[in-house]
Amino acid sequence: MVSSKNIVALTGAGISVESGIPPFRGKGGLWEKFDPMEYAHIDAFMKNPAKVWDVLIKEMKVIIDNARPNTAHKGLAKLEKLGLLKTIITQNVDGLHQMAGNTDVVEFHGNFAWQRCMECNNKCETIKIDIGKIPPRCECGGIYKPECIFFGEMIPQQYLRRSEMAASTCDIMLVIGTSANVQPAASIPLIAKQARAKVIEINLERTPLSKEISDYIIMGKAGEVLTTLINEIEHLLNL
Ligand code: OAD
């Protein structure tokens, strides 16, 4: 890693677990409590935005408003400062990579920091939204929708292009805290692999990438693994 010229990280919900944000799948995951097709599909939102706001988005807002970067986010920010990490492609919508200090972050599934009025297109910061009345409405009376990608929505072309570019030009791809179950994000490590990058997976468990795509698998909590890796890198760089 120390001699790498261009590390790219693909991150998923697992990197934010240590910040108190639950993952989607597995033990304690959101999709254990909620059926994603009933609450996270765009058709479900359009049909009944009040229900989706009341059950899912309101809870997400409280959790994300209060979340702060953990040692894993800070570790990636440090890797950028050391000149090793160029880009983060994240499936997360929590904004914690930017808060930690990373400057080139592709938010593949959009972000939760902003809401857009479905009538007049006005944008409002999520932190300023009053959830006293559900669903929250813009001054024009329209309902706010988070700027996140729901199931059934297309990934914007510019995110796809930027991710493909980053993946196909990196020499190491760190894949951190994703179950690699959701396409097209789950194919990004394959693009890196085909471009001869080494793929290093950091996760608590094996994923569909582990068998044939990952060159190295480091099992453990993202915060702890990244802290150890960065200490080692700093030692090698005599910092
Ligand atoms: P998942 O919830 O599917 O997977 C989280 C992964 O993180 C699992 O593989 C866990 O083993 C791992 N994990 C949990 N805690 C960890 C820790 N402390 N350190 C390291 N790894 C840990 O989350 P994603 O793969 O991000 O999409 O999910 C992908 C997409 O599915 C999300 O962006 C969202 C969701 O439905 C949309 O809503 C469109």
Side-chain angles (χ1 to χ4, degrees):
M1 275 177 78
V2 178
S3 59
S4 166
K5 302 269 176 304
N6 182 349
I7 301 175
V8 167
L10 169 69
T11 65
I15 198 167
S16 294
V17 165
E18 291 161 76
S19 294
I21 303 178
F24 296 98
R25 298 173 183 78
K27 212 169 130 247
L30 276 183
W31 301 156
E32 230 176 28
K33 278 204 292 183
F34 308 117
D35 174 359
M37 291 305 123
E38 206 182 331
Y39 293 102
H41 196 285
I42 187 62
D43 294 346
F45 185 82
M46 297 313 269
K47 199 168 137 203
N48 194 346
K51 175 176 157 187
V52 176
W53 259 103
D54 196 35
V55 175
L56 182 63
I57 308 178
K58 198 169 71 176
E59 180 175 328
M60 273 178 77
K61 174 174 154 53
V62 174
I63 295 173
I64 293 179
D65 278 357
N66 292 298
R68 295 293 172 266
N70 64 52
T71 46
H73 300 104
K74 290 178 191 161
L76 291 184
K78 189 144 208 190
L79 275 185
E80 180 181 317
K81 273 217 180 86
L82 291 171
L84 298 171
L85 179 92
K86 287 256 160 58
T87 303
I88 296 178
I89 305 161
T90 188
Q91 297 163 84
N92 301 343
V93 296
D94 53 34
L96 294 180
H97 288 305
Q98 295 92 319
M99 209 187 278
N102 283 101
T103 57
D104 189 22
V105 182
V106 182
E107 294 180 301
F108 203 76
H109 289 160
N111 69 70
F112 195 74
W114 291 91
Q115 305 283 327
R116 192 179 284 280
C117 170
M118 293 200 289
E119 290 298 326
C120 72
N121 246 3
N122 176 40
K123 272 177 83 172
C124 177
E125 274 185 89
T126 303
I127 202 139
K128 293 189 181 147
I129 292 270
D130 175 12
I131 49 170
K133 247 191 181 166
I134 293 293
R137 289 179 187 272
C138 168
E139 278 172 14
C140 81
I143 295 174
Y144 278 119
K145 173 186 176 291
E147 289 269 271
C148 307
I149 308 293
F150 282 64
F151 282 112
E153 286 191 296
M154 301 286 281
I155 307 291
Q157 274 301 322
Q158 75 266 25
Y159 299 168
L160 287 171
R161 265 201 306 274
R162 282 181 64 204
S163 303
E164 275 168 25
M165 178 65 85
S168 60
T169 51
C170 67
D171 49 21
I172 293 180
M173 174 164 280
L174 298 174
V175 181
I176 309 170
T178 176
S179 63
N181 264 306
V182 175
Q183 293 293 357
S187 295
I188 293 171
L190 182 63
I191 300 174
K193 179 92 177 172
Q194 283 168 345
R196 297 173 183 275
K198 293 284 179 217
V199 176
I200 304 175
E201 206 180 356
I202 300 172
N203 202 312
L204 297 176
E205 58 190 23
R206 293 175 70 83
T207 74
L209 302 173
S210 305
K211 201 162 169 213
E212 286 175 4
I213 306 293
S214 300
D215 295 285
Y216 302 97
I217 300 166
I218 309 177
M219 297 272 219
K221 287 187 177 176
E224 289 169 10
V225 172
L226 279 164
T227 303
T228 308
L229 270 178
I230 284 157
N231 284 343
E232 194 61 31
I233 288 171
E234 288 188 319
H235 177 69
L236 290 169
L237 292 172
N238 287 323
L239 293 172

